mmCIF file of all heavy atoms in Angstrom:
data_model
loop_
_atom_site.group_PDB
_atom_site.id
_atom_site.type_symbol
_atom_site.label_atom_id
_atom_site.label_comp_id
_atom_site.label_asym_id
_atom_site.label_seq_id
_atom_site.Cartn_x
_atom_site.Cartn_y
_atom_site.Cartn_z
ATOM 1 N N THR I 1017 23.573 -73.334 -223.425
ATOM 2 C CA THR I 1017 23.919 -74.366 -224.416
ATOM 3 C C THR I 1017 23.757 -73.824 -225.835
ATOM 4 O O THR I 1017 22.830 -73.048 -226.107
ATOM 5 C CB THR I 1017 23.013 -75.578 -224.227
ATOM 6 O OG1 THR I 1017 21.671 -75.177 -224.413
ATOM 7 C CG2 THR I 1017 23.197 -76.177 -222.845
ATOM 8 N N ASP I 1018 24.600 -74.316 -226.689
ATOM 9 C CA ASP I 1018 24.539 -73.940 -228.106
ATOM 10 C C ASP I 1018 25.116 -75.092 -228.930
ATOM 11 O O ASP I 1018 26.199 -75.581 -228.634
ATOM 12 C CB ASP I 1018 25.342 -72.673 -228.363
ATOM 13 C CG ASP I 1018 25.095 -72.138 -229.747
ATOM 14 O OD1 ASP I 1018 24.365 -72.796 -230.502
ATOM 15 O OD2 ASP I 1018 25.640 -71.070 -230.043
ATOM 16 N N GLN I 1019 24.337 -75.495 -229.924
ATOM 17 C CA GLN I 1019 24.780 -76.637 -230.725
ATOM 18 C C GLN I 1019 26.032 -76.313 -231.528
ATOM 19 O O GLN I 1019 26.857 -77.193 -231.767
ATOM 20 C CB GLN I 1019 23.659 -77.053 -231.684
ATOM 21 C CG GLN I 1019 22.416 -77.552 -230.967
ATOM 22 C CD GLN I 1019 21.321 -77.930 -231.931
ATOM 23 O OE1 GLN I 1019 21.500 -77.851 -233.155
ATOM 24 N NE2 GLN I 1019 20.199 -78.347 -231.380
ATOM 25 N N GLY I 1020 26.209 -75.057 -231.897
ATOM 26 C CA GLY I 1020 27.346 -74.722 -232.734
ATOM 27 C C GLY I 1020 28.586 -74.361 -231.977
ATOM 28 O O GLY I 1020 29.674 -74.348 -232.545
ATOM 29 N N TYR I 1021 28.435 -74.003 -230.671
ATOM 30 C CA TYR I 1021 29.602 -73.539 -229.912
ATOM 31 C C TYR I 1021 29.669 -74.277 -228.585
ATOM 32 O O TYR I 1021 29.037 -73.904 -227.615
ATOM 33 C CB TYR I 1021 29.502 -72.024 -229.664
ATOM 34 C CG TYR I 1021 29.530 -71.230 -230.918
ATOM 35 C CD1 TYR I 1021 28.342 -70.853 -231.538
ATOM 36 C CD2 TYR I 1021 30.739 -70.873 -231.488
ATOM 37 C CE1 TYR I 1021 28.375 -70.131 -232.720
ATOM 38 C CE2 TYR I 1021 30.765 -70.141 -232.657
ATOM 39 C CZ TYR I 1021 29.586 -69.777 -233.280
ATOM 40 O OH TYR I 1021 29.623 -69.063 -234.425
ATOM 41 N N GLU I 1022 30.410 -75.373 -228.536
ATOM 42 C CA GLU I 1022 30.580 -76.158 -227.304
ATOM 43 C C GLU I 1022 31.656 -75.583 -226.394
ATOM 44 O O GLU I 1022 31.813 -76.033 -225.256
ATOM 45 C CB GLU I 1022 30.957 -77.602 -227.666
ATOM 46 C CG GLU I 1022 29.863 -78.317 -228.405
ATOM 47 C CD GLU I 1022 30.255 -79.733 -228.723
ATOM 48 O OE1 GLU I 1022 31.406 -80.111 -228.385
ATOM 49 O OE2 GLU I 1022 29.414 -80.452 -229.286
ATOM 50 N N ASN I 1023 32.407 -74.591 -226.849
ATOM 51 C CA ASN I 1023 33.483 -73.996 -226.034
ATOM 52 C C ASN I 1023 33.053 -72.694 -225.376
ATOM 53 O O ASN I 1023 33.891 -71.889 -224.981
ATOM 54 C CB ASN I 1023 34.718 -73.727 -226.906
ATOM 55 C CG ASN I 1023 35.337 -75.004 -227.414
ATOM 56 O OD1 ASN I 1023 35.314 -76.013 -226.713
ATOM 57 N ND2 ASN I 1023 35.884 -74.955 -228.623
ATOM 58 N N ASP I 1024 31.711 -72.457 -225.338
ATOM 59 C CA ASP I 1024 31.246 -71.255 -224.600
ATOM 60 C C ASP I 1024 31.602 -71.373 -223.115
ATOM 61 O O ASP I 1024 31.959 -72.449 -222.627
ATOM 62 C CB ASP I 1024 29.738 -71.076 -224.764
ATOM 63 C CG ASP I 1024 29.410 -70.596 -226.161
ATOM 64 O OD1 ASP I 1024 30.354 -70.237 -226.893
ATOM 65 O OD2 ASP I 1024 28.213 -70.622 -226.505
ATOM 66 N N LYS I 1025 31.400 -70.262 -222.378
ATOM 67 C CA LYS I 1025 31.826 -70.205 -220.957
ATOM 68 C C LYS I 1025 31.135 -71.273 -220.126
ATOM 69 O O LYS I 1025 29.931 -71.407 -220.198
ATOM 70 C CB LYS I 1025 31.501 -68.823 -220.391
ATOM 71 C CG LYS I 1025 32.010 -68.635 -218.979
ATOM 72 C CD LYS I 1025 31.739 -67.234 -218.486
ATOM 73 C CE LYS I 1025 32.239 -67.059 -217.068
ATOM 74 N NZ LYS I 1025 31.977 -65.736 -216.533
ATOM 75 N N GLN I 1026 31.917 -72.042 -219.336
ATOM 76 C CA GLN I 1026 31.415 -73.090 -218.447
ATOM 77 C C GLN I 1026 31.335 -72.531 -217.012
ATOM 78 O O GLN I 1026 32.224 -71.785 -216.582
ATOM 79 C CB GLN I 1026 32.341 -74.322 -218.476
ATOM 80 C CG GLN I 1026 32.540 -74.892 -219.864
ATOM 81 C CD GLN I 1026 31.272 -75.526 -220.373
ATOM 82 O OE1 GLN I 1026 30.511 -76.113 -219.615
ATOM 83 N NE2 GLN I 1026 31.045 -75.422 -221.669
ATOM 84 N N TYR I 1027 30.305 -72.949 -216.293
ATOM 85 C CA TYR I 1027 30.115 -72.478 -214.902
ATOM 86 C C TYR I 1027 30.412 -73.625 -213.944
ATOM 87 O O TYR I 1027 29.877 -74.727 -214.116
ATOM 88 C CB TYR I 1027 28.671 -72.000 -214.688
ATOM 89 C CG TYR I 1027 28.379 -70.758 -215.467
ATOM 90 C CD1 TYR I 1027 27.853 -70.856 -216.741
ATOM 91 C CD2 TYR I 1027 28.647 -69.505 -214.936
ATOM 92 C CE1 TYR I 1027 27.602 -69.731 -217.478
ATOM 93 C CE2 TYR I 1027 28.391 -68.384 -215.665
ATOM 94 C CZ TYR I 1027 27.863 -68.488 -216.931
ATOM 95 O OH TYR I 1027 27.601 -67.371 -217.664
ATOM 96 N N LYS I 1028 31.218 -73.328 -213.010
ATOM 97 C CA LYS I 1028 31.656 -74.359 -212.053
ATOM 98 C C LYS I 1028 30.533 -74.701 -211.082
ATOM 99 O O LYS I 1028 29.871 -73.818 -210.558
ATOM 100 C CB LYS I 1028 32.873 -73.853 -211.278
ATOM 101 C CG LYS I 1028 33.488 -74.912 -210.386
ATOM 102 C CD LYS I 1028 34.721 -74.369 -209.696
ATOM 103 C CE LYS I 1028 35.355 -75.413 -208.831
ATOM 104 N NZ LYS I 1028 36.556 -74.910 -208.128
ATOM 105 N N LYS I 1029 30.371 -75.964 -210.845
ATOM 106 C CA LYS I 1029 29.322 -76.432 -209.929
ATOM 107 C C LYS I 1029 29.888 -76.498 -208.506
ATOM 108 O O LYS I 1029 30.925 -77.102 -208.283
ATOM 109 C CB LYS I 1029 28.838 -77.805 -210.363
ATOM 110 C CG LYS I 1029 27.719 -78.335 -209.492
ATOM 111 C CD LYS I 1029 27.251 -79.682 -209.994
ATOM 112 C CE LYS I 1029 26.135 -80.221 -209.152
ATOM 113 N NZ LYS I 1029 25.678 -81.552 -209.635
ATOM 114 N N VAL I 1030 29.165 -75.881 -207.577
ATOM 115 C CA VAL I 1030 29.612 -75.845 -206.177
ATOM 116 C C VAL I 1030 28.966 -76.995 -205.426
ATOM 117 O O VAL I 1030 27.796 -77.307 -205.621
ATOM 118 C CB VAL I 1030 29.241 -74.501 -205.511
ATOM 119 C CG1 VAL I 1030 29.747 -74.470 -204.078
ATOM 120 C CG2 VAL I 1030 29.813 -73.362 -206.313
#
Side-chain angles (χ1 to χ4, degrees):
T1017 60
D1018 190 356
Q1019 296 179 2
Y1021 297 94
E1022 295 181 358
N1023 294 326
D1024 287 350
K1025 185 177 179 181
Q1026 303 291 325
Y1027 292 92
K1028 187 177 181 181
K1029 182 178 180 180
V1030 182

